[in-house]
Every structure is written in C-alpha cells, then in structure tokens.
Amino acid sequence: IADILKAQGDLEQALRHYQQGLGIRQALSKLDPTNVHWQLDLVVSYVRMATTVPEEQQHWFTQALTILRDLKQTGRLPPNREPWLTMIEADLD
C-alpha cells in the first residue's frame, strides 16, 4: 500500500505506512538479531525511509549500510544482496 501511495504522490500517508512497517521490523530484528531475513527486511525499511524523507536520507542509508556490512563481514550476506552495498554506498556519495 505504501509504495502505491508514494507513487500517487501521497508521501504523508506512504511515510505513515513505512514507519509502521519499520517499527515492526525493528522489533523483530531485536527479538532475533541472528535472523538474516529479518535483518534484510529492516534494510528494506531503512531504504524506503531514505527515499521518502530526503532530509533524513543519510541517516537511513547509514543504518542500512551498518547492517549490510555486518552481514558481509560475518559471512551471512546472501550473494544476491551484495549489490545493495554498492548501490547504497553510491547513494551516500
């Protein structure tokens, strides 16, 4: 729903939905920090926040990178998600 609202230009409602999803994903990732799927879901939420709230973009991309770098360093980042590192790093430059 949030992606549709964003595409329609209703950023306020989209942001509200993204924030709700973020809260859920943060809670899940705290319950089990070793769950790679939940960590990657959290990265998706951070990227959505970064692309919806430009004035907070650096903050959200940095949060996403922290998780991705940790997963890579510990050998838990799935190979198909490694391009996310490069894309987010490029967005921060």
Side-chain angles (χ1 to χ4, degrees):
I1 292 175
D3 291 336
I4 294 169
L5 291 167
K6 184 177 177 183
Q8 293 174 342
D10 190 348
L11 296 181
E12 184 177 320
Q13 289 300 320
L15 180 59
R16 188 171 58 87
H17 285 279
Y18 287 146
Q19 288 169 327
Q20 289 173 348
L22 174 62
I24 292 166
R25 288 179 173 110
Q26 285 174 323
L28 287 173
S29 69
K30 285 180 185 175
L31 286 175
D32 184 2
T34 65
N35 186 312
V36 173
H37 180 75
W38 289 350
Q39 297 298 315
L40 292 173
D41 281 351
L42 188 53
V43 168
V44 170
S45 281
Y46 288 153
V47 169
R48 286 179 175 154
M49 293 297 293
T51 59
T52 305
V53 187
E55 61 272 11
E56 297 177 10
Q57 187 175 48
Q58 184 172 358
H59 167 75
W60 294 115
F61 278 148
T62 300
Q63 296 297 312
L65 277 177
T66 298
I67 293 171
L68 291 171
R69 287 175 177 157
D70 177 64
L71 291 174
K72 182 164 178 73
Q73 184 178 22
T74 59
R76 298 179 299 140
L77 182 64
N80 66 330
R81 298 299 181 232
E82 288 192 23
W84 288 7
L85 275 168
T86 306
M87 290 186 309
I88 295 172
E89 287 170 338
D91 284 334
L92 277 174
D93 285 342

